[in-house]
Amino acid sequence: MSCRTNDVIKPLISIIIPIHNGEEWIDTCFESILRQTIISVIHVEIAICDDASTDKTLEILDKWKDIFNKMSISLHIFKNETGLPKGVGYAKNRAVEISSGDYLCFQDIDDIMLPKRIETQYKLAKTNQSAFCDQIIGGRFKRKPENSTERFVRWANNLIHEQLQIQIYTSYGPTVIMPTWFCHRNVFNNVPGGFSEKGYGTPEDLIFFYAHIENNGSVLRTDEVILEYLFHPGATTLSIKQETIFELRVQQVEKRVLFKWPSFTIWNAGKEGRKFFRTLREKFQKRVIAFCDVDKKKIGKKYTPYDHSIRRSKVPIPIEHYSIAKPPFIICVKLDMTNGIFEKNLNSLNLKEDKDYILFN
């Protein structure tokens, strides 16, 4: 797809915000938008879908509409008046539909933009020509409270550029978190149907992310910290079943990685490795030549899968020491959990990520 820009007309950025019962966070979120360094020199609008809120969300939005109007910032509101929330994917799609910006800046109502967020991401988009068509631009973030999800924050903020496209199968989800996404409208339009609207419990951001990657889309991330990412018990992310995400990740590994590998080894002969094996379709199970591990109690033994549909054991699979196991590997070991021992073992093999191994957990 060809993309054109017109330097005579100021680019318009649409801030996309889904809301369901967001009265607690609207003021702080919107105040952070007003603090953006770029809004005095570039036309910004805000597009919101209120997804059947039952609190004072609409009342507070009306107050803010007047405030934004005085600042020459348009606030557009789509209201789901059915009385039944339809989910985050639905809300994001409706908000995008009522927006008109060349660029989309996604924001969750319970998070806070840092002052240079939009300026930083817009500049990065303008300096990367492919951003007009196929790049999601994310950013580093800080958690609030600071000590929440420390391993996740460390992983997401320290991925190098190449890993943004590679470490997409881990349990952490997209390599750039959804509330930092910034992209040209064409990136959204290139994913048919936009975000999944299957409703509560659907990982709509991960599904969109994978669809974007399948469309040969790419991922960038700013080095700057651009968002304060709130962790709280009511966060939508916590409503998604890990089993749903697990199965989605396995499907993607099969589709994008395992179809190229005639054989491979699963690194982890314990619970997580065996779960991964059992979730694979049979044709990919047959390509597993071994499990590998460091546990002396497992090494030298065999894992014998059981087929419940025919009530019969399958061909036993040997369990080997990682140092003699044959790559490529699907690694089902969690990072940052062994005081560096696993990472040291992996590095000792001088393997190349994405060619010789893929991180799954």
Side-chain angles (χ1 to χ4, degrees), residues 247-313:
E247 292 175 2
L248 180 60
R249 289 160 52 215
V250 171
Q251 290 169 11
Q252 288 295 314
V253 168
E254 288 183 339
K255 184 186 299 185
R256 296 183 56 82
V257 179
L258 299 185
F259 84 96
K260 298 181 293 186
W261 291 356
S263 64
F264 63 97
T265 299
I266 297 176
W267 192 318
N268 188 343
K271 180 180 177 182
E272 292 300 318
R274 297 181 185 199
K275 179 181 178 182
F276 176 82
F277 176 88
R278 291 194 302 270
T279 309
L280 291 173
R281 286 180 290 167
E282 185 172 4
K283 69 176 183 178
F284 293 112
Q285 288 182 348
K286 290 180 178 179
R287 299 185 188 187
V288 177
I289 56 174
F291 287 80
C292 72
D293 212 291
V294 295
D295 188 345
K296 295 178 181 179
K297 295 180 180 179
K298 297 185 178 78
I299 294 168
K301 296 183 179 179
K302 294 184 178 182
Y303 167 60
T304 304
Y306 186 79
D307 190 331
H308 291 276
S309 63
I310 60 175
R311 298 183 180 181
R312 185 179 301 170
S313 296

Side-chain angles (χ1 to χ4, degrees), residues 228-262:
E228 191 173 274
Y229 189 26
L230 182 64
F231 178 82
H232 61 93
T236 305
T237 304
L238 300 180
S239 70
I240 301 171
K241 293 181 179 179
Q242 290 303 307
E243 199 62 34
T244 300
I245 296 175
F246 187 92
E247 292 175 2
L248 180 60
R249 289 160 52 215
V250 171
Q251 290 169 11
Q252 288 295 314
V253 168
E254 288 183 339
K255 184 186 299 185
R256 296 183 56 82
V257 179
L258 299 185
F259 84 96
K260 298 181 293 186
W261 291 356

Side-chain angles (χ1 to χ4, degrees), residues 58 69 110 128 164 166 174 205 208 241-242 350 352 361:
L58 285 173
N69 280 339
D110 52 356
N128 286 271
L164 296 174
I166 297 173
D205 57 343
F208 186 99
K241 293 181 179 179
Q242 290 303 307
N350 296 314
K352 182 177 180 181
N361 273 11

Side-chain angles (χ1 to χ4, degrees), residues 124-139:
L124 184 57
K126 290 289 283 183
T127 56
N128 286 271
Q129 197 65 27
S130 60
F132 296 132
C133 297
D134 64 11
Q135 287 183 343
I136 290 177
I137 299 173

Side-chain angles (χ1 to χ4, degrees), residues 22-33:
E23 64 175 5
E24 182 179 352
W25 304 291
I26 293 174
D27 287 345
T28 53
C29 179
F30 286 3
E31 286 165 1
S32 75
I33 292 174

Side-chain angles (χ1 to χ4, degrees), residues 157-190:
N157 281 340
N158 289 295
L159 290 170
I160 62 174
H161 175 72
E162 293 77 10
Q163 291 173 325
L164 296 174
Q165 298 281 138
I166 297 173
Q167 292 193 14
I168 62 174
Y169 310 107
T170 75
S171 57
Y172 289 135
T175 49
V176 288
I177 64 168
M178 172 66 203
T180 69
W181 286 11
F182 185 99
C183 64
H184 195 277
R185 182 175 293 272
N186 286 318
V187 173
F188 178 84
N189 291 339
N190 284 343

